[in-house]
Amino acid sequence: MNSREIRQKFLSFFEERGHKVVTSSSLVPDDPSVLLTTAGMQQFKKYFTGELDAEKDFGSLNTTSIQKSFRTSDIDEVGDESHLTFFEMFGNFSFGGYFKEEAIRYGYEFITKVMGLEIDYVTVFDPKKVSHDDWRAGVPFDEESYNFWKKIAPEVDVRREGVDNFWGPTGSEGPCGPTTEIYVNGALRQAQGKPPVEVWNIVFNQFYCDSLKKLTPLKIQGVDTGMGLERLVMVSQDVPTIFDTDLFASFLSEISLEMPIKIRRIAADHARGIVFLISDGVRPSNKDAGYVLRRLVRRFVMYSEKYKFDSNILLGGVVREYGDFYDNLSKELILEVFSEERKKFLETLDKGIKELEKLQNIDAVSAFSLFSTYGLPYEVIKEVGSEKAKNLTREDFDKEFEKHQEISRAGQEKKFGGHGLILDTGELKAGNEEELKKVLRLHTATHLLQAALRKVLGSEVGQAGSDITVDRTRFDFTFPRKLTPEEISKVEKLVNDVIAEDLPVQKIIMPKEEAEKTGALYFFKEKYPDPVNVYFVGKDIDSAFSKEFCGGPHVTHTGEIGHFRIKKEESVGAGLRRIRGVVE
Ligand code: SER
């Protein structure tokens, strides 16, 4: 079956069973707690929590989609047989319409009857397989799923697994729950001794997980399933890797077969990532999604230079392959954005490579210097440096990045009273001692403001942006409506009460995972290196009024802030509010 037919069969199967077909949302999500869309359920998060009504918006409690997804966590794995950055995900969802029995039956029928595949085995969640101190250890054994599998498909081997069979939440909080996963293998892969592939992840959203990792049952029991299109096509077409499917054939044929297989795969993956990120509005930069795109483009350009393939033809091939399914792919625009970034990179690439070649051994310090001076991303240094860079790890590189930021901050502070900027963290800037004091007061006040907003309006308030100048703080956050005057006074009062208490502002450095468990807020998790700095306001972290992942610096006690006042509250887009505040 070709991939076009498989797409059609999936959507029709669920449409015939009362699901509304919903188009893919953008790779750049509305949800500010995640960098890029990583799963089909993201656009439906508010239907799972009951904040939005599916019946009203879709005319059905059940939906189905093919969602564009992007996972940066897999970037270092790309080049093997199955990892991708950009991929598409089939999904069927229910927001209180049906639950475990139907979801398992649909999964079973689609795989075995429609696709004609044999299920190798399935897995269900069992807390016995979870370490006792894990936050999911208290979730009961998913006996219902186990029993439904036994009833619906007695021939299928049902295995019990631990945390891999518990999904979510995406971002710091949200719906989550146990999953049942379906594993399949094609005859060829089996003959080659390859392990079965997890094709389908069927999640039962039974809980809401808050930022302290506390689980409370959801009012609506939801179904959220995700099946990687590329993997399904691979087992269905009975080919050894995803790159051998028809999804890649048409544009991979543009690259010479002489090229090392790993490079072909990386080029194919990155070409798709570049096309889709640019089409969804991302532009190369040193921040967030822009930085992800920059890394893809630069590595891709490096290979096209080294192995002499025509990047424009390859990018054009991706547009041709996907143009029928996505109507926002403009070849002209993609090539324009790509060429500009390519040009910038090539201007310094030669010099950078010459410097790199002079080095005997590339460690994190020299790698970071190549990045900051010549714009060589980690992947490029690793690749070109080859043997010389064999001990370089992404973790050390990221640590160096953070250290560098701290050193430059300390350097700026040393110059205290001198000329030019004495503080420049990118976010905070001050030119003299007086400005510095003001900016620090506003910075700490901004943390208090966020904590106060969440206390008054609820945890749906999430940071969407912040900008601090010597005159004011500007804080953008998610919230669906205008604040009432009473709410504004309450928020102001809460901030000023904490200021009056003159609480200490403290920093601790801790492993990211532990920091997340404390409930500390963060803007973009990916932005912070591991371990992270957590700034908290209060006597200890548990009882703290505010805690956030943050690079600092801050005042040492809240009393230094003075009086905080909200000057303006306004809308800056759908579901987004902006507050301007001052300290006096
Ligand atoms: N949210 C789950 C996943 O991404 C199922 O869709 O795997």
Side-chain angles (χ1 to χ4, degrees):
M1 228 183 276
N2 70 35
S3 53
R4 185 177 286 265
E5 285 170 276
I6 297 177
R7 283 177 196 272
Q8 201 44 51
K9 285 217 164 13
F10 183 84
L11 294 179
S12 314
F13 178 86
F14 284 101
E15 205 174 12
E16 283 157 17
R17 286 160 183 77
H19 292 65
K20 173 81 205 271
V21 178
V22 178
T23 46
S24 171
S25 64
S26 165
L27 279 176
V28 182
D30 288 337
D31 181 350
S33 71
V34 277
L35 191 61
L36 290 165
T37 299
T38 56
M41 61 80 71
Q42 258 162 272
Q43 68 164 321
F44 300 118
K45 242 171 146 175
K46 291 196 169 155
Y47 298 98
F48 285 116
T49 56
E51 286 162 85
L52 291 176
D53 181 348
E55 189 73 66
K56 202 168 119 212
D57 293 351
F58 306 118
S60 169
L61 290 176
N62 313 319
T63 61
T64 183
S65 69
I66 304 179
Q67 174 65 49
K68 293 178 273 188
S69 308
F70 196 104
R71 293 196 178 165
T72 48
S73 53
D74 291 338
I75 222 163
D76 289 332
E77 254 73 54
V78 174
D80 69 3
E81 294 183 353
S82 63
H83 282 90
L84 292 168
T85 54
F86 170 82
F87 65 102
E88 291 171 274
M89 210 178 206
F90 285 136
N92 58 292
F93 308 89
S94 185
F95 320 103
Y98 59 89
F99 205 42
K100 296 187 178 175
E101 179 164 10
E102 293 86 338
I104 289 174
R105 192 183 302 281
Y106 292 153
Y108 175 71
E109 273 180 27
F110 184 77
I111 292 290
T112 59
K113 309 230 163 81
V114 180
M115 298 301 301
L117 292 164
E118 197 181 313
I119 294 179
D120 228 275
Y121 64 93
V122 301
T123 55
V124 297
F125 178 79
D126 187 345
K128 284 207 193 85
K129 304 269 180 174
V130 176
S131 98
H132 68 280
D133 53 358
D134 188 277
W135 58 277
R136 289 152 287 203
V139 175
F141 168 50
D142 189 1
E143 199 175 350
E144 292 162 303
S145 291
Y146 186 89
N147 290 337
F148 285 133
W149 274 115
K150 290 285 168 209
K151 176 175 148 193
I152 294 165
E155 76 284 8
V156 168
D157 174 17
V158 188
R159 303 185 187 175
R160 298 164 185 240
E161 291 293 342
V163 292
D164 284 349
N165 275 64
F166 192 94
W167 201 85
T170 51
S172 52
E173 54 190 299
C176 59
T179 82
T180 178
E181 294 177 339
I182 301 180
Y183 285 74
V184 175
N185 217 355
L188 178 71
R189 284 179 55 86
Q190 208 168 355
Q192 291 179 340
K194 296 198 161 123
V197 188
E198 177 214 319
V199 289
W200 210 338
N201 187 16
I202 301 175
V203 182
F204 301 114
N205 275 322
Q206 289 174 250
F207 306 102
Y208 190 87
C209 173
D210 72 11
S211 55
L212 289 169
K213 293 276 180 275
K214 201 173 128 256
L215 300 176
T216 20
L218 280 170
K219 280 194 224 83
I220 302 170
Q221 297 202 307
V223 175
D224 151 29
T225 90
M227 173 155 59
L229 183 148
E230 291 80 0
R231 287 193 193 177
L232 179 68
V233 175
M234 171 179 84
V235 289
S236 161
Q237 295 179 352
D238 202 14
V239 289
T241 80
I242 46 180
F243 298 99
D244 301 304
T245 60
D246 67 341
L247 288 163
F248 286 90
S250 74
F251 61 92
L252 256 180
S253 62
E254 312 288 356
I255 306 183
S256 144
L257 277 170
E258 314 276 277
M259 239 164 77
I261 190 145
K262 187 170 163 222
I263 312 296
R264 279 170 64 86
R265 291 173 181 166
I266 295 174
D269 170 82
H270 285 21
R272 299 199 320 167
I274 291 165
V275 164
F276 282 95
L277 285 175
I278 294 178
S279 302
D280 279 349
V282 180
R283 295 292 174 267
S285 77
N286 275 346
K287 263 181 79 183
D288 309 327
Y291 184 49
V292 174
L293 174 60
R294 168 158 287 169
R295 282 158 56 194
L296 293 190
V297 171
R298 294 190 171 198
R299 194 186 197 186
F300 182 77
V301 168
M302 185 190 66
Y303 286 140
S304 75
E305 291 295 299
K306 188 164 168 188
Y307 295 101
K308 308 271 173 266
F309 62 81
D310 187 332
S311 29
N312 288 10
I313 292 187
L314 196 50
L315 295 171
V318 175
V319 174
R320 197 179 57 232
E321 175 69 29
Y322 287 92
D324 286 352
F325 310 110
Y326 298 99
D327 60 13
N328 68 342
L329 309 183
S330 149
K331 189 171 156 190
E332 289 68 41
L333 175 78
I334 293 161
L335 294 185
E336 193 185 317
V337 175
F338 172 78
S339 308
E340 202 181 303
E341 176 65 9
R342 176 174 186 272
K343 194 164 148 252
K344 260 193 212 149
F345 179 50
L346 289 180
E347 274 162 17
T348 55
L349 180 65
D350 278 350
K351 280 195 213 127
I353 299 226
K354 278 205 190 88
E355 279 310 304
L356 187 154
E357 277 162 0
K358 281 189 212 151
L359 298 168
Q360 299 298 323
N361 169 34
I362 305 170
D363 58 8
V365 176
S366 46
F368 183 74
S369 148
L370 289 169
F371 167 70
S372 56
T373 321
Y374 303 104
L376 299 191
Y378 168 82
E379 296 83 4
V380 172
I381 298 170
K382 231 7 220 175
E383 178 64 32
V384 181
S386 172
E387 271 298 293
K388 289 185 194 174
K390 73 172 188 298
N391 294 326
L392 175 68
T393 64
R394 183 178 291 283
E395 207 185 340
D396 290 345
F397 183 83
D398 288 348
K399 270 198 198 133
E400 196 52 36
F401 198 99
E402 163 76 352
K403 205 154 72 193
H404 177 86
Q405 282 183 326
E406 284 192 351
I407 291 169
S408 78
R409 218 173 282 140
Q412 303 285 12
E413 282 163 22
K414 243 199 206 145
K415 277 195 245 146
F416 202 73
H419 301 293
L421 283 180
I422 59 163
L423 174 75
D424 183 2
T425 66
E427 250 174 329
L428 306 174
K429 288 187 173 51
N432 56 43
E433 188 177 348
E434 209 178 303
E435 285 185 2
L436 177 70
K437 280 191 186 150
K438 190 79 184 288
V439 162
L440 299 194
R441 288 163 63 204
L442 281 162
H443 187 199
T444 311
T446 311
H447 280 217
L448 299 184
L449 171 65
Q450 175 164 213
L453 284 167
R454 288 168 64 91
K455 291 211 160 67
V456 174
L457 306 173
S459 57
E460 63 186 300
V461 168
Q463 178 172 350
S466 119
D467 179 69
I468 296 172
T469 69
V470 273
D471 300 316
R472 52 106 185 112
T473 173
R474 197 182 74 196
F475 184 72
D476 294 347
F477 59 100
T478 49
F479 196 62
R481 60 166 172 82
K482 189 164 181 54
L483 272 60
T484 63
E486 294 74 39
E487 285 167 339
I488 293 183
S489 328
K490 254 196 199 161
V491 171
E492 257 178 6
K493 180 168 182 316
L494 208 51
V495 172
N496 284 313
D497 286 350
V498 176
I499 292 175
E501 278 183 69
D502 198 22
L503 292 173
V505 182
Q506 309 184 57
K507 173 176 108 171
I508 33 177
I509 302 174
M510 49 167 66
K512 210 178 201 177
E513 204 175 313
E514 231 172 84
E516 274 186 76
K517 284 193 194 142
T518 69
L521 304 174
Y522 45 80
F523 186 20
F524 280 130
K525 189 165 88 189
E526 287 80 358
K527 203 174 91 175
Y528 302 93
D530 202 4
V532 300
N533 292 340
V534 175
Y535 272 88
F536 65 94
V537 176
K539 298 212 168 54
D540 54 65
I541 189 149
D542 292 329
S543 68
F545 175 79
S546 138
K547 36 193 154 177
E548 285 190 35
F549 289 20
C550 177
H554 284 272
V555 299
T556 61
H557 284 81
T558 56
E560 293 164 46
I561 297 172
H563 184 262
F564 175 73
R565 188 160 62 84
I566 293 178
K567 278 192 80 171
K568 196 169 180 190
E569 189 272 338
E570 62 187 332
S571 162
V572 277
L576 272 188
R577 313 293 308 174
R578 170 170 290 176
I579 281 182
R580 287 173 202 270
V582 291
V583 293
E584 296 160 332

